């Protein structure tokens, strides 16, 4: 899932000051699971904002959509949007942008910092796992991502800085390439990393679209 | 001859190579740089010019390489993957070669968090292995990484680094093999303090036939003090300093510690001269360039051969 953290309160406060009616929009999917932008967090943020501004100065509304990255759910706001002069979104960056696209006349502000694609290690504890590089090499690396988990995103590690299984950047950070070696060795698959991995195609460096096979015709008729 | 660099000629002629290192200044202090270079003139075959070493901003490696060349010492232009993408790398290689630089050392580079700009974006578009392959492609095929032809390809003698001490040990020789396959002509290793480990690593490289394909120059760093030895043991990633070294330095009179450090270095060089599969040594006398002539003298590597 996508993991986000709420922005520092003062930053949020500065963005919305100057508006009279602000709608805080949460998202019920990833940001709710990682405890950053679901309905509970919308409530908490609005309570803090009310306390900071005083109820008369700014009126804060609250809505939490099932998913902000899905037009169907954004449509639910159509009838309410006129009551507000700014939107504060607690979704990930994708959701926030989609919201802004749906309501191009309204200022939309991000209340969270979208941080990474990660996993849940424990309640409130998440770890980055993927940088959406667009060219997944997990088959070669025993299921450990060298782009994300190696501090230098190396494709032919471990580098000379690896330190008894730890990464050179910190003793708290395992060396991804050490782990890749261990896992492949245990599976008898070290030959996977004997060949030189060629320069990567960093496909994620330009705006991307994916159309799944089977839907191409349909997309054409939409003409977008 | 792949590049015709002095180092290549020396190694091809079968001489025991002796290379040094110069860290460019943290500023435009040309005089300080010239002084460091002057100590190495006639003493080393070539000097590595570090590239924003430990992720601290310094005068650029190719620019300092030119000053080194003017000072009469052949430079080894270092390039790390941390600070440049493949476009910048290739254009710097062309520019350096155009000015007469013929040796290059391809490194991934220390992570940016160690230096004076920890907030910077690390590039790592390529890794060191891929950089080696790119330089080889430029030289041997006359092509850019993207495939287009190069109008006068750069003839570079390609260097790479190896750390025989980092875990997993059994993988280190495979990584060396990968660098050889990628196109490395010579290898300079991490500072050697653990002789047992390097003997074993060289033995493996001999067994795999790698030492017939690449010139290996183990790295030598004389310890200046007990504090330095302890710092290297505990704080520098990838460094392997056995307790015997620290005990030996502690065992001599305080005033004699630096001398003992040089003695250890000279003993190591002696052993490497006789070790099968070793083509020379790389002396990294960090901020101790003025001592290099003395160390070279005591290690018996002077005078340097003329080729
Ligand atoms: S290789 Fe790329 S796609 Fe695969 S996990 Fe890593 S970043 Fe994600
Ligand atoms: S120590 Fe390991 S994880 Fe860290 S940069 Fe080097 S190879 Fe990558």
């Amino acid at each position: 899932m996508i993991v986000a953290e709420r922005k520092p309160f003062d930053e949020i406060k500065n963005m919305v000051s100057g508006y009279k009616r602000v709608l805080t929009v949460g998202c019920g999917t990833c940001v709710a699971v990682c405890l950053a932008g679901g309905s509970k967090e919308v409530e908490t943020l609005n309570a803090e904002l009310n306390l900071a501004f005083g109820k008369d100065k700014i009126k804060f509304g609250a809505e939490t959509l099932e998913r902000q990255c899905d037009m169907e759910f954004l449509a639910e706001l159509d009838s309410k949007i006129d009551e507000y002069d700014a939107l504060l979104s607690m979704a990930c960056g994708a959701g926030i942008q989609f919201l802004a696209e749906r309501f191009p006349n309204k200022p939309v502000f991000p209340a969270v910092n979208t941080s990474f694609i990660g996993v849940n290690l424990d309640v409130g504890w998440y770890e980055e796992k993927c940088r959406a590089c667009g060219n997944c090499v997990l088959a070669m690396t025993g299921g450990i991502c060298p782009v994300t988990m190696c501090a230098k995103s190396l494709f032919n590690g471990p580098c000379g800085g690896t330190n008894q299984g730890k990464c050179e950047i910190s003793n708290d950070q395992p060396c991804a390439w050490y782990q890749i070696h261990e896992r492949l060795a245990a599976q008898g698959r070290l030959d996977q990393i004997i060949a030189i991995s060629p320069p990567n195609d960093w496909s994620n460096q330009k705006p991307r679209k994916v159309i799944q096979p089977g839907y191409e015709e349909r997309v054409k008729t939409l003409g977008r | 001859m792949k590049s015709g660099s002095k180092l290549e000629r020396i190694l091809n002629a079968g001489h025991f190579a002796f290379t040094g290192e110069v860290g460019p200044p943290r500023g435009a202090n040309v005089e300080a740089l010239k002084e460091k270079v002057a100590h190495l003139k006639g003493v080393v075959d070539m000097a590595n010019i570090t590239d924003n070493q430990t992720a601290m901003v310094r005068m650029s490696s190719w620019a300092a390489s030119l000053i080194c060349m003017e000072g009469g010492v052949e430079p080894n232009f270092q390039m790390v993957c941390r600070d440049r993408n493949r476009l910048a790398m290739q254009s710097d290689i062309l520019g350096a070669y155009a000015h007469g630089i013929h040796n290059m050392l391809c490194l991934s580079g220390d992570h940016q968090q160690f230096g004076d700009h920890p907030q910077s974006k690390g590039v790592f578009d390529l890794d060191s292995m891929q950089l080696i392959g790119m330089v080889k492609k430029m030289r041997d095929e006359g092509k850019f990484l993207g495939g287009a032809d190069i109008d006068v390809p750069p003839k570079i003698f390609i260097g790479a680094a190896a750390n025989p001490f980092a875990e997993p040990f059994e993988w280190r020789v495979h990584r060396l093999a990968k660098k050889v396959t990628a196109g490395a002509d010579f290898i300079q290793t991490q500072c050697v303090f653990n002789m047992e480990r390097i003997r074993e690593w060289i033995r493996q490289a001999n067994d795999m036939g790698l030492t017939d394909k690449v010139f290996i120059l183990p790295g030598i760093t004389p310890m200046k003090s007990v504090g330095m030895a302890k710092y290297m043991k505990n704080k520098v990633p990838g460094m392997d300093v056995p307790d015997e070294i620290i005990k030996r330095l502690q065992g001599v009179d305080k005033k004699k510690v630096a001398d003992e450090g040089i003695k250890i270095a000279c003993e190591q060089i002696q052993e490497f001269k006789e070790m099968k599969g070793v083509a020379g040594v790389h002396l990294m006398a960090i901020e101790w360039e003025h001592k290099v002539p003395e160390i070279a003298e005591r290690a018996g590597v002077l005078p340097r051969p003329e080729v």
Side-chain angles (χ1 to χ4, degrees):
Chain A
M1 68 174 165
I2 294 176
V3 177
E5 303 162 88
R6 204 181 85 181
K7 278 184 176 287
F9 184 69
D10 284 346
E11 195 183 332
I12 299 174
K13 203 176 128 196
N14 284 338
M15 288 188 286
V16 296
S17 74
Y19 294 92
K20 291 268 166 319
R21 300 162 304 164
V22 176
L23 178 63
T24 307
V25 191
C27 176
T29 311
C30 305
V31 290
V33 179
C34 73
L35 312 176
S39 58
K40 271 207 191 100
E41 290 76 29
V42 168
E43 233 172 79
T44 313
L45 177 59
N46 276 1
E48 285 176 53
L49 287 165
N50 278 328
L51 206 64
F53 285 106
K55 281 227 167 41
D56 314 327
K57 214 163 158 232
I58 307 180
K59 178 188 160 247
F60 288 98
E63 288 289 342
T64 298
L65 306 176
E66 186 73 26
R67 270 196 300 282
Q68 265 185 59
C69 56
D70 202 328
M71 207 47 98
E72 208 175 299
F73 297 105
L74 288 184
E76 290 170 20
L77 294 178
D78 289 357
S79 59
K80 301 168 187 153
I81 203 76
D82 289 341
E83 296 165 36
Y84 298 95
D85 44 28
L87 303 176
L88 184 57
S89 170
M90 301 196 83
C92 75
I96 303 169
Q97 291 187 55
F98 214 29
L99 186 69
E101 202 176 308
R102 177 93 185 175
F103 307 111
N105 300 324
K106 301 282 172 191
V108 174
F109 301 110
V112 303
N113 290 324
T114 304
S115 304
F116 51 74
I117 302 176
V119 296
N120 206 334
L121 293 181
D122 201 338
V123 185
W125 180 16
Y126 310 97
E127 186 175 68
E128 185 178 15
K129 285 292 183 198
C130 172
R131 295 220 173 129
C133 77
N135 214 347
C136 196
V137 296
L138 289 175
M140 161 191 99
T141 57
I144 296 167
C145 173
V147 178
T148 311
M149 308 306 283
C150 164
K152 299 177 191 166
S153 296
L154 304 180
F155 280 74
N156 291 285
C159 76
T162 177
N163 203 356
Q164 284 160 8
K166 304 293 184 216
C167 174
E168 70 172 37
I169 62 161
S170 157
N171 273 336
D172 302 328
Q173 183 61 41
C175 167
W177 274 99
Y178 183 85
Q179 294 185 319
I180 290 169
H181 179 275
E182 295 285 281
R183 187 170 292 172
L184 291 176
Q187 294 178 4
R189 292 205 298 145
L190 274 181
D191 54 320
Q192 291 285 308
I193 50 170
I194 288 277
I196 293 159
S197 185
N200 195 33
D201 172 2
W202 296 109
S203 296
N204 63 350
Q205 298 290 300
K206 52 184 186 284
R208 292 175 282 174
K209 283 191 177 65
V210 171
I211 300 167
Q212 303 294 12
Y215 292 85
E216 281 127 350
E217 282 307 312
R218 181 185 150 78
V219 171
K220 260 188 223 149
T221 62
L222 289 174
R224 273 205 289 141
Chain B
M1 226 29 104
K2 290 168 175 165
S3 72
S5 81
K6 184 174 172 190
L7 180 72
E8 185 181 9
R9 281 180 278 130
I10 283 184
L11 289 167
N12 276 341
H15 298 297
F16 188 78
F18 187 65
T19 62
E21 184 166 288
V22 171
R26 298 223 343 119
N29 192 340
V30 177
E31 288 317 309
L33 178 59
K34 282 183 175 166
E35 199 192 313
K36 281 184 177 179
V37 171
H39 293 301
L40 303 186
K41 190 180 173 188
V43 177
V44 298
D45 302 321
M46 173 195 88
N48 286 26
I49 312 295
T50 54
D51 180 14
N52 288 340
Q53 191 180 356
T54 59
M56 304 278 277
V57 179
R58 290 171 181 272
M59 184 189 289
S60 60
S61 175
W62 66 263
S65 290
L66 295 187
I67 293 168
C68 179
M69 232 157 69
E70 283 164 18
V73 176
E74 180 169 285
N76 183 17
F77 168 37
Q78 292 195 191
M79 186 182 275
V80 298
C81 299
R82 180 193 57 231
D83 306 335
R84 298 171 182 77
N85 71 4
R86 55 191 88 175
L87 279 95
M89 286 174 151
Q90 292 178 98
S91 73
D92 276 354
I93 293 165
L94 294 179
Y97 177 70
H99 281 284
I101 293 169
H102 291 266
N103 305 300
M104 216 186 119
L105 190 74
C106 305
L107 306 165
S108 32
D110 297 319
H111 194 271
Q112 59 275 14
Q113 89 160 31
F114 291 109
D116 56 356
H117 292 74
Q119 298 84 357
S120 66
K121 179 174 180 178
V123 182
F124 300 109
D125 179 19
L126 303 181
D127 65 22
S128 58
M129 205 75 72
Q130 296 158 349
L131 171 57
I132 296 165
M134 182 172 78
V135 184
K136 185 179 160 70
K137 182 174 179 144
M138 293 172 80
R139 181 189 69 192
D140 296 349
E141 296 172 35
K143 291 206 186 294
F144 290 114
L145 191 57
D149 289 336
I150 301 177
D151 183 7
V152 184
K155 297 293 175 199
I156 301 280
F157 198 43
I158 306 170
N163 184 355
F165 309 106
E167 305 288 343
F169 180 65
E170 63 281 8
W171 184 249
R172 296 334 292 195
V173 78
H174 294 291
R175 199 162 139 84
L176 172 68
K178 282 180 80 163
K179 289 196 172 178
V180 174
T181 309
D185 299 309
F186 67 99
I187 299 284
Q188 292 170 317
T189 79
Q190 172 70 286
C191 312
V192 177
F193 299 107
N194 187 337
M195 289 303 285
E196 209 172 299
R197 267 262 162 123
I198 190 106
R199 278 182 213 118
E200 174 58 18
W201 183 73
I202 297 275
R203 193 188 60 71
Q204 293 173 350
N206 282 331
D207 287 352
M208 286 173 68
L210 296 171
T211 49
D212 299 329
K213 297 183 191 145
V214 74
F215 298 106
I216 296 182
L217 283 63
I220 303 281
T221 290
M223 292 289 194
K224 290 188 222 182
S225 63
V226 176
M228 173 179 172
K230 284 189 176 158
Y231 178 82
M232 286 202 153
K233 182 186 175 78
N234 300 320
K235 292 274 149 65
V236 184
M239 203 69 92
D240 178 358
V241 183
D243 289 329
E244 298 96 78
I245 298 271
I246 293 172
K247 279 201 200 103
R248 190 166 155 189
L249 294 170
Q250 281 169 331
V252 299
D253 188 272
K254 265 216 172 75
K255 285 195 204 106
K256 294 263 181 194
V257 174
D259 196 67
E260 192 67 18
I262 293 179
K263 218 163 149 188
I264 297 172
C266 290
E267 288 167 17
Q268 291 179 308
I269 297 172
Q270 263 328 314
E271 182 172 345
F272 284 130
K273 274 189 192 166
E274 275 138 42
M275 200 180 285
K276 178 177 177 285
V278 172
V281 286
H282 174 54
L283 184 71
M284 290 170 273
I286 308 154
E287 296 304 317
W288 226 18
E289 287 80 5
H290 60 284
K291 284 276 190 188
V292 174
E294 180 193 329
I295 298 167
E297 186 67 54
R298 284 171 60 179
V301 295
L302 293 181
R304 297 309 307 149
E306 285 301 327
V307 285

